[in-house]
Amino acid sequence: ATPTSIMAGSGRSAEMGVLFKGGEHLEQTQSIDTVVVDKTGTVTHGKPVLTDVKLADGQDEEHVLSLVGAAEKQSEHPLAQAIVEGIQEKGIELGKVQFFEAIPGYGVQATVSGQGVLVGTRKLMQQYGIDVSAVLPEMEALESDGKTAMLAAVNGEYAGLVAVADTIKDTSRGAIARLQKMGIHVIMMTGDNERTAQAIGKEVGVDAVIAEVLPEGKADEVKKLQQQGKKVAMVGDGINDAPALATADIGMAIGTGTDVAMEAADITLIRGDLNSIADAIIMSRKTMRNIK
Ligand code: ADP
Ligand code: MG
């Protein structure tokens, strides 16, 4: 690669909102055959809103939501923010928190107004021996709609469910189809549950979905693909994505995401539009063709 063609390629890419950290990344990006996209904040806007609240028999909405809202107020997760905003919009006052613990990939545990509160996945409820079998059909219906449903328990008993929905970026479906036309395999990866992930994955047309990946497991999934001989680009926005971005052959961070993701990545996609993935690969292919 001549330094001149690399400089020209980098400059043209930057004009399109694709920032390569170094010339070697512009050279390597042409060989990518597999793109792994994070779901929340990458395929979707990452700004979920509270859409549904269901209560267990005999439970009072204001009471349960005051506990759930107070617990989630302590969490930094985007899901938590959506839950808190939705509850506050209902004019419900939040309880007082005596203890809080985030359980990454599962949910939160707290003591609110002297009561034990859990909010999170089925697996979280399972770990605490809470029977949620009665609500599972309802939960699955919400998930099939692409919503993320979270279960709440108070003092060791199932108390209700809250669901949030995130919107898919208008450009995601077209951008994924464009990559596929270039012969690239597109996989969506998420910590969210299998059913929600499949619903969103189907809507945007990805080739495969890897769901229920724990925060520390994303890099391992990338490694597995590399062991199969794939040249992997990982695209993400979150703190959770940083190890996978660093592990991938090429890491691409969404410019509207976290600084941690951008630091771990080789490329920053300023526009947050997944079309920039194809733009980066095309620019690399063109640049390398010029110099062979
Ligand atoms: P994502 O990749 O979607 O950000 P995470 O690994 O952070 O996923 O979380 C996985 C799942 O754990 C979420 O879909 C949700 O069900 C549950 N979860 C995580 N954080 C919270 C929270 N603060 N409150 C309730 N549930 C949570
Ligand atoms: Mg994300």
Side-chain angles (χ1 to χ4, degrees):
T2 72
T4 319
S5 59
I6 294 283
M7 281 226 329
S10 297
R12 257 174 288 140
S13 301
E15 282 165 25
M16 294 193 289
V18 176
L19 304 186
F20 287 89
K21 247 185 213 168
E24 70 273 29
H25 305 306
L26 180 57
E27 293 180 277
Q28 289 155 8
T29 298
Q30 62 153 356
S31 63
I32 293 303
D33 55 29
T34 304
V35 169
V36 179
V37 288
D38 159 64
K39 175 174 77 69
T40 313
T42 301
V43 170
T44 70
H45 288 104
K47 303 247 184 301
V49 292
L50 183 68
T51 54
D52 301 81
V53 176
K54 315 264 177 193
L55 293 162
D57 288 341
Q59 291 284 349
D60 176 65
E61 172 166 302
E62 193 165 338
H63 174 67
V64 172
L65 292 185
S66 76
L67 302 178
V68 168
E72 292 290 5
K73 186 103 200 262
Q74 305 297 313
S75 163
E76 280 159 16
H77 204 285
L79 290 171
Q81 214 175 317
I83 294 169
V84 172
E85 275 168 23
I87 290 172
Q88 285 178 328
E89 267 167 31
K90 290 177 187 279
I92 294 171
E93 218 169 295
L94 304 184
K96 238 186 150 164
V97 179
Q98 284 89 32
F99 169 82
F100 170 81
E101 185 185 22
I103 309 165
Y106 294 93
V108 300
Q109 187 204 350
T111 307
V112 184
S113 311
Q115 311 193 57
V117 180
L118 285 170
V119 192
T121 61
R122 307 168 164 73
K123 281 184 198 153
L124 180 70
M125 298 295 143
Q126 215 170 47
Q127 277 169 14
Y128 284 83
I130 293 158
D131 179 16
V132 293
S133 51
V135 72
L136 289 185
E138 217 162 7
M139 185 177 192
E140 288 169 7
L142 291 163
E143 290 171 345
S144 298
D145 267 353
K147 293 174 179 171
T148 299
M150 288 153 283
L151 301 164
V154 177
N155 293 333
E157 295 248 355
Y158 169 67
L161 159 167
V162 288
V164 307
D166 195 357
T167 49
I168 296 170
K169 294 175 186 172
D170 290 337
T171 47
S172 291
R173 190 183 170 84
I176 287 164
R178 200 175 146 212
L179 286 167
Q180 289 164 332
K181 256 185 232 138
M182 291 164 64
I184 289 165
H185 194 69
V186 185
I187 301 171
M188 189 182 80
M189 177 155 68
T190 180
D192 210 341
N193 75 89
E194 184 73 36
R195 207 173 260 100
T196 306
Q198 290 292 352
I200 304 224
K202 197 171 162 201
E203 228 174 299
V204 296
V206 291
D207 297 297
V209 165
I210 309 174
E212 301 181 25
V213 185
L214 291 177
E216 66 274 16
K218 286 188 173 182
D220 290 336
E221 295 295 336
V222 168
K223 256 182 241 158
K224 271 191 229 164
L225 291 164
Q226 288 171 324
Q227 280 159 3
Q228 293 163 24
K230 309 282 191 222
K231 287 277 176 217
V232 183
M234 167 77 203
V235 191
D237 68 317
I239 299 170
N240 282 355
D241 300 321
L245 289 167
T247 301
D249 295 280
I250 290 289
M252 302 188 188
I254 300 289
T256 51
T258 60
D259 291 346
V260 183
M262 278 181 272
E263 276 156 30
D266 307 303
I267 303 175
T268 297
L269 308 177
I270 297 291
R271 294 188 301 140
D273 173 342
L274 300 191
N275 275 295
S276 294
I277 306 167
D279 291 342
I281 296 168
I282 289 167
M283 279 312 300
S284 175
R285 286 183 183 175
K286 278 189 182 160
T287 304
M288 297 311 285
R289 213 179 300 138
N290 284 345
I291 54 193
K292 263 178 201 158

